[in-house]
Amino acid sequence: MSDEPEPHPEPHPDPAPPAPSPDNTRWTGAKAMAFLKALAQHGKVARAARSVGMSRQAAYRLRARAPNFADFWDGALVEAARRKELARQARAPVHPMLARVRLPQPPRPSAPPPRAGERR
């Protein structure tokens, strides 16, 4: 045993309560605006939802219950389509052989009639 008294620990002030963690399960106004901005950029619902930490299904549920959000969603999709069309027009034209649209084909010449004694 030692003759020295045990040192008393210094009293610690109560620690500050932990900061609340962000609730990634709920939509906020900021999340909705960021979602709509992303949706207007590329028109992909799942990608826009992931960009704000939400699921595609959560986005559709919010759309179903919030008519103003649904209106802005529709506007964002129109903007995305406009951007896509502008980007398409800005690209160099595609060679006709590589185009996705089938070009009209000239009529093929008909086969000459068989000669006497020839088989087809």
Side-chain angles (χ1 to χ4, degrees):
M1 283 201 171
S2 94
D3 292 338
E4 293 180 30
E6 282 188 32
H8 293 288
E10 294 206 15
H12 292 285
D14 290 335
S21 60
D23 186 1
N24 287 335
T25 62
R26 300 211 182 262
W27 284 96
T28 62
K31 274 187 187 181
M33 290 300 298
F35 168 84
L36 292 169
K37 184 176 180 181
L39 187 61
Q41 290 287 324
H42 47 69
K44 308 287 185 192
V45 175
R47 185 172 160 193
R50 279 193 309 269
S51 75
V52 296
M54 300 299 284
S55 70
R56 174 183 56 85
Q57 294 86 349
Y60 279 105
R61 284 192 301 267
L62 179 60
R63 178 184 168 87
R65 72 175 184 261
N68 289 334
F69 180 74
D71 291 342
F72 284 114
W73 179 313
D74 293 340
L77 289 178
V78 168
E79 174 63 16
R82 186 188 70 80
R83 286 173 182 252
K84 185 176 181 180
E85 179 60 23
L86 288 174
R88 188 191 67 74
Q89 290 174 358
R91 288 193 301 258
V94 175
H95 188 279
M97 288 178 47
L98 303 176
R100 292 182 180 178
V101 178
R102 188 174 291 272
L103 297 174
Q105 299 294 317
R108 292 185 177 187
S110 60
R115 293 187 207 165
E118 281 187 6
R119 287 187 182 183
R120 277 197 170 200

